[in-house]
Amino acid sequence: MSALTEDQKTFFWENGYLMAPGAVTAAELAALRGDFNGWVEESRAKTENYGEIMDGRPRFDLEPGHSAAQPALRRVNSPVEVSETFHDVMAKSRMTDYVADLIGPNVKFHHSKINSKLPGAATKVKWHQDFPFTPHSNDDLVTALLLLDDMTEENGALEVLAGSHRGDLHTLWHDGVFTGSIEDAAADELQRRAAICLGPAGSVCLMHTRLAHGSKPNLSKMPRTLFICVYSAEDAVPLVPNPVPSKLEGLVVRGEHTGHVRSKDFTLKLPQKPAQASFFSQQAATYDG
Ligand SMILES: O=C(O)CCC(=O)C(=O)O
């Protein structure tokens, strides 16, 4: 039986995104928040990025200005490798069912991360599409952004341009540099027409990989934490190394392994993997504010 209704699926394919409530149980949500809060407490004692993922880059990424008094842990790379709770929600929650309803029956895991905007955090996410970061042989990829906090107008909610997944792929290269962001004039136009994704903790924003999106800084006293999992159809084969590699890449979370590859016609310039902990440093190269 389908976890999403026909109307929800139609909305997703027409608009390129869907806010779906009830993606995890109350117990799962509490456990996820507990683990994340533990990492925030641990970060108070740190003065630079720390931990290590498979390729040697830091797991825990601190925003400039981070301090013991005002921790600004903005990214945890691949939390599914260091928390059973995060692993299980990625692999066997209602969120996983939702994704399978969109790009199943055979679905595999690509990567995961936490993007956090703690109160007062300056981090914004410049407008981009995910596919140019993680091109595959076809674009049946879904980015699932699970809300660990309520997402509100004030705390740096995700903003999207509905229908943009059916449009062009925007380049994330400018003057020979992979900036990880769409150039300013086009981004201003996207922002002007954006829809804001609001919802209570435990909801998920399911986003097509080609959907243009971004988010503003957190101007509130409330945190805004997202657990982000990227999934693909099992027959979508990655064309570049994973920007957040993990031993779980390729794990079939729904259906079965077929070994088939399905391809779609498109052209894009291959991305550069971030040299530092996350794409925030790539985007920061073009920060205008
Ligand atoms: O954290 C956000 O607001 C958006 C996340 C995002 O776009 C990404 O990580 O690709």
Side-chain angles (χ1 to χ4, degrees):
M1 206 186 79
S2 202
L4 293 175
T5 65
E6 288 308 311
D7 282 354
Q8 284 176 311
K9 288 189 253 185
T10 302
F11 185 95
F12 174 87
W13 289 111
E14 272 179 12
N15 294 284
Y17 75 103
L18 172 72
M19 284 299 298
V24 286
T25 65
E28 286 169 333
L29 180 62
L32 293 167
R33 293 173 73 146
D35 281 5
F36 179 69
N37 290 337
W39 289 324
V40 173
E41 285 312 306
E42 178 186 63
S43 78
R44 289 181 192 271
K46 311 286 183 182
T47 52
E48 55 187 33
N49 295 343
Y50 60 101
E52 191 171 323
I53 58 169
M54 222 169 99
D55 60 4
R57 286 182 303 138
R59 186 178 304 281
F60 298 95
D61 182 13
L62 305 172
E63 182 176 292
H66 165 89
S67 68
Q70 183 148 5
L73 176 63
R74 66 180 172 184
R75 162 64 71 86
V76 180
N77 282 320
S78 209
V80 297
E81 289 181 309
V82 288
S83 156
E84 201 177 332
T85 306
F86 278 88
H87 174 279
D88 288 354
V89 166
M90 174 277 285
K92 41 189 172 191
S93 65
R94 199 161 172 76
M95 174 172 85
T96 332
D97 296 335
Y98 289 166
V99 172
D101 282 347
L102 297 174
I103 53 169
N106 305 324
V107 179
K108 66 188 182 192
F109 169 73
H110 187 256
H111 75 267
S112 74
K113 58 211 170 195
I114 297 170
N115 277 4
S116 168
K117 295 181 190 173
L118 293 169
T123 288
K124 63 181 178 181
V125 176
K126 295 191 94 179
W127 280 83
H128 65 280
Q129 293 159 305
D130 287 347
F131 196 63
F133 281 96
T134 54
H136 281 58
S137 62
N138 67 64
D139 59 11
D140 277 343
L141 273 77
V142 166
T143 303
L145 305 105
L146 178 69
L147 280 56
L148 301 194
D149 302 304
D150 296 349
M151 201 151 67
T152 69
E153 303 239 9
E154 295 77 34
N155 70 357
L158 183 74
E159 299 187 55
V160 301
L161 182 65
S164 52
H165 66 304
R166 290 186 267 109
D168 293 338
L169 284 168
H170 293 262
T171 185
L172 305 182
W173 285 88
H174 306 293
D175 299 327
V177 178
F178 184 74
T179 65
S181 48
I182 294 171
E183 58 93 14
D184 289 347
D188 289 348
E189 178 60 18
L190 295 168
Q191 183 67 59
R192 209 178 51 75
R193 295 158 55 209
I196 189 159
C197 299
L198 307 176
S203 311
V204 67
C205 180
L206 301 161
M207 219 172 53
H208 189 276
T209 186
R210 292 175 72 126
L211 190 79
H213 60 283
S215 66
K216 295 184 186 139
N218 181 356
L219 300 176
S220 78
K221 295 195 165 23
M222 305 301 293
R224 195 233 58 173
T225 310
L226 295 177
F227 173 36
I228 303 175
C229 290
V230 177
Y231 303 89
S232 76
E234 185 265 339
D235 58 6
V237 173
L239 301 177
V240 295
N242 196 324
V244 189
S246 95
K247 56 181 192 267
L248 294 165
E249 179 180 347
L251 178 77
V252 174
V253 292
R254 284 291 183 277
E256 58 179 8
H257 173 76
T258 67
H260 290 173
V261 55
R262 179 167 48 92
S263 61
K264 179 169 178 170
D265 194 11
F266 60 85
T267 301
L268 58 70
K269 187 165 161 61
L270 296 176
Q272 257 176 359
K273 202 172 142 177
Q276 297 173 31
S278 69
F279 84 142
F280 291 126
S281 51
Q282 291 175 310
Q283 288 203 334
T286 57
Y287 266 11
D288 49 12

